[in-house]
Structures are given as structure tokens and as C-alpha cells.
Amino acid sequence: MASEDVKTGESAVSTIVNLAEEAKLASEEVKAPSHAFYGICKSLVAGGVAGGVSRSAVAPLERLKILLQVQNPHSIRYNGTIQGLKYIWKTEGLRGMFKGNGTNCARIVPNSAVKFFSYEQASKGILWLHRQQTGNEEAELTPLLRLGAGACAGIIAMSSTYPMDMVRGRLTVQTEKSPSQYRGIFHALSTVLREEGPRALYRGWLPSVIGVVPYVGLNFAVYESLKAWLIKTKPFGLAENNELSVTTRLACGAAAGTLGQTVAYPLDVIRRRMQMVGWKDAASIVTGDGKTRAPIEYNGMVDAFRKTVKHEGFGALYKGLVPNSVKVVPSIAIAFVTYELVKDILGVEMRISD
């Protein structure tokens, strides 16, 4: 199911990347191989650091969001952001606040690295094609083209690390009272493979792919478009010498994150619930059918939407939105700013070494 779509996406993006490289060689002097390799490494390292820093900063809110998304309505433990955080602290302590963060970082570092790198390469390729079609060598990417580049980057990054996201979801929701404990990333992966088969590692992949398009696509499109508009118009003196301050870039990242997560959030809820299907020890955690305490089974994304709305109402699609909104703004903002700062630092070091 997933592998064919992923291969198709990777093939399309690899074509774009190849076109981007050809365009670069045609429009610029050929750089030394070491410099080209350094540029790739710089993007990957900056993206990885950005992902790890941003997710660790909001780990307690991320865990609470997932707990709210999947908790059984017959056994409510988390009634809101403040109460939920207090409950986790009281019952599990500081360790509970960051449960699953190690797995999340192990996933998000390569995910973020691939996402930022893929976005840069896809943007270059799309820009080259856009200039060829319009015949304007000075043309810039439009918001819609940035959306496409962001969507390509998000799908590639998400698909390459999805099994880690799946087991991270389960590690995050289990508590000290869970009947069976996953002891860590590799134990969870091996247990799921042994008990549920390899396809289980990609449960919820389809809504994730669909959600990536508006979420990651809008993140990049809004962020880059806001930056370009501020630099061009220079309102309120926010841009000086075609540069924006860290505070202004944080605001751009916050706006991008807020819009993207609001549009894609219902798909994130469905993804989390589908990831819990097949987990025999999840009955006390995963939502039931509104009548029993048993975990519900979903036959696919549409079935998951239908049963969620039928048994819990339309509002269930936005469970956990408040803590997610609280965390997504600083998370996205920190990620974008950290990425650019790390690239700047690595760029300075490279110039010094030269």
C-alpha cells in the first residue's frame, strides 16, 4: 500500500532534484566537490538540529496532545491542558512529561533533516522549471509553488521515518499501569513486527500523507511568502538590508505553524487512532465505541472518520487542539529560526576555513 506511493513520490522528487542540479551547473560556476558536499551536509545538520531542539522544547505538550487524542471517553484522565499537565506530573513525574521524546527526537532529527533538505532541492528544481516556462530568468516562486515544494518535502520525510512515528505514538500513551510495557524504540519495533506484522508499522500512513500536504506545504509556503513580503515592502521597519530579525522570523514561523496545524489537525487525530489499532494492551487507553470499554477497530481512514464522528461527535476530530496550538507555534517558529541560525553558523565556519 504505502511502498508504491512512496516510491512514486521519491521518483518524482528525485527527478526534480536532478533538474535542480542541472540548472545550478548551467547558471553558476561549478563549485569544488567538497563545497557541494559541505552544502548538503550543512542543510542536513541544520535541519536535524532544528527538529531536535524544537520538539524537545515542547515535549510535555506533545505528549498531552496525543493522550487527549486517543483516551477512552469512559476513563477520562486528562480534561484540559493545565489539568492534563498537572496529572502527568503528579502520577509520573518529570520523566512522564518527556515520555516518548527520545523516540520522537530519534525520528524527528532525520525527518527534519530530510524535510528541510528536500524542500531546498525541490524549490530549486521547481523554480528552474517555472523560469523555463515563463521565460523570465528573474521570476520567483509563488506561494502555490512553495506549497508544492513543501508538500514534496513533507511526504518524503514523513514516509522515510513513519515506523518511528508509529511506535513513538504507542510509547507516548502507555503509562506505568499499562498491562504490557514497550521498553524502548527497538523493543517496540520488534514487538509490533512480531505480533502484528510489517504492515502495522504503516497504520495511519494515508491520513498522514494527506495531512502533510496542507500542514508542511502551508508551513513552508506561508513562512517563505511572509518573509519575502516583509523584505519587499519593509513595513514598520521590520526589514533592514534585506534581512529580518530573529523575532520577526519567529513571528513568521508562528503564523505558518498556526495555519498549517489548524487545517490538518483532524487527519492527525485519525492517524493517532489508527496507529493504536491492533495493540492488544491498549483497551484502557484507546477510545471505545461510545458503549463499551473495548478498543475500537478501524477498517481504514474513512471508517475511522465515520466512527469517530458517529460515537463522539465532530468535536472529537479536534481533541488535543489546545495543547497542540500552544506547542505548535513555538515549535515551528523555533525549528525555522534554529535551522537558519545553524546554517549561518556553519556557513561562517566554512568561510573561515577557506
Side-chain angles (χ1 to χ4, degrees):
M1 178 188 86
S3 60
E4 293 180 2
D5 292 336
V6 174
K7 288 179 180 177
T8 301
E10 289 178 341
S11 176
V13 173
S14 64
T15 301
I16 294 176
V17 172
N18 290 335
L19 288 171
E21 291 302 319
E22 292 175 11
K24 184 187 291 185
L25 291 175
S27 60
E28 302 176 357
E29 294 182 2
V30 178
K31 296 182 179 180
S34 60
H35 285 197
F37 178 74
Y38 184 88
I40 294 174
C41 291
K42 184 170 68 172
S43 293
L44 291 173
V45 171
V49 173
V53 171
S54 64
R55 290 309 174 97
S56 295
V58 297
L61 289 165
E62 175 70 12
R63 186 185 181 213
L64 178 61
K65 178 202 75 171
I66 296 175
L67 287 168
L68 286 169
Q69 286 178 333
V70 302
Q71 75 172 336
N72 193 316
H74 295 286
S75 181
I76 299 295
R77 299 174 185 173
Y78 314 97
N79 290 313
T81 305
I82 303 300
Q83 182 275 336
L85 290 174
K86 287 182 176 179
Y87 185 83
I88 294 173
W89 179 268
K90 179 181 178 180
T91 57
E92 301 180 65
L94 180 63
R95 188 174 180 180
M97 302 290 279
F98 289 87
K99 183 171 288 184
N101 187 55
T103 312
N104 196 23
C105 287
R107 174 191 70 89
I108 203 63
V109 169
N111 178 286
S112 185
V114 172
K115 181 171 64 179
F116 276 101
F117 176 69
S118 297
Y119 176 74
E120 287 194 350
Q121 298 306 311
S123 296
K124 292 174 184 177
I126 291 174
L127 178 59
W128 181 79
L129 289 173
H130 179 55
R131 288 176 174 175
Q132 291 296 309
Q133 290 180 346
T134 60
N136 180 9
E137 291 300 320
E138 302 299 323
E140 296 296 333
L141 286 175
T142 64
L144 185 60
L145 292 177
R146 288 195 179 102
L147 181 81
C152 288
I155 291 172
I156 293 173
M158 181 277 297
S159 298
S160 64
T161 59
Y162 191 80
M164 296 291 289
D165 181 70
M166 191 271 186
V167 299
R168 193 265 297 204
R170 294 194 177 186
L171 284 166
T172 298
V173 302
Q174 71 177 5
T175 67
E176 300 301 327
K177 298 180 180 178
S178 297
S180 178
Q181 290 277 318
Y182 292 124
R183 294 191 296 272
I185 302 172
F186 297 109
H187 180 250
L189 284 169
S190 61
T191 301
V192 172
L193 277 172
R194 184 177 67 254
E195 296 182 354
E196 303 173 50
R199 289 188 65 182
L201 294 175
Y202 278 88
R203 283 201 186 106
W205 181 85
L206 182 58
S208 296
V209 168
I210 297 173
V212 156
V213 175
Y215 182 63
V216 179
L218 283 173
N219 278 346
F220 279 111
V222 174
Y223 180 74
E224 296 291 346
S225 296
L226 272 176
K227 278 178 55 184
W229 178 77
L230 289 172
I231 290 173
K232 182 179 180 179
T233 60
K234 296 181 172 62
F236 311 110
L238 292 176
E240 295 182 6
N241 300 322
N242 291 330
E243 290 292 335
L244 298 176
S245 67
V246 172
T247 303
T248 303
R249 282 183 282 173
L250 278 170
C252 292
T258 300
L259 181 59
Q261 66 95 23
T262 301
V263 172
Y265 194 78
L267 288 158
D268 187 56
V269 172
I270 296 304
R271 169 182 63 153
R272 290 298 173 202
R273 295 190 170 200
M274 291 180 69
Q275 287 177 348
M276 302 300 143
V277 172
W279 186 11
K280 61 182 177 63
D281 294 316
S284 63
I285 302 170
V286 183
T287 184
D289 61 4
K291 299 177 181 179
T292 68
R293 294 178 181 273
I296 198 167
E297 294 291 325
Y298 302 122
N299 296 320
M301 182 184 71
V302 175
D303 186 51
F305 267 109
R306 182 180 62 81
K307 288 179 178 176
T308 297
V309 174
K310 177 182 177 181
H311 298 308
E312 300 176 64
F314 184 78
L317 296 175
Y318 285 91
K319 282 185 174 180
L321 179 62
V322 174
N324 191 63
S325 297
V326 174
K327 70 96 181 172
V328 79
V329 172
S331 176
I332 296 295
I334 291 170
F336 277 117
V337 174
T338 302
Y339 175 72
E340 293 189 354
L341 289 177
V342 172
K343 281 193 70 177
D344 289 343
I345 292 170
L346 293 176
V348 170
E349 289 180 353
M350 180 180 177
R351 287 193 294 271
I352 291 174
S353 65
D354 288 346

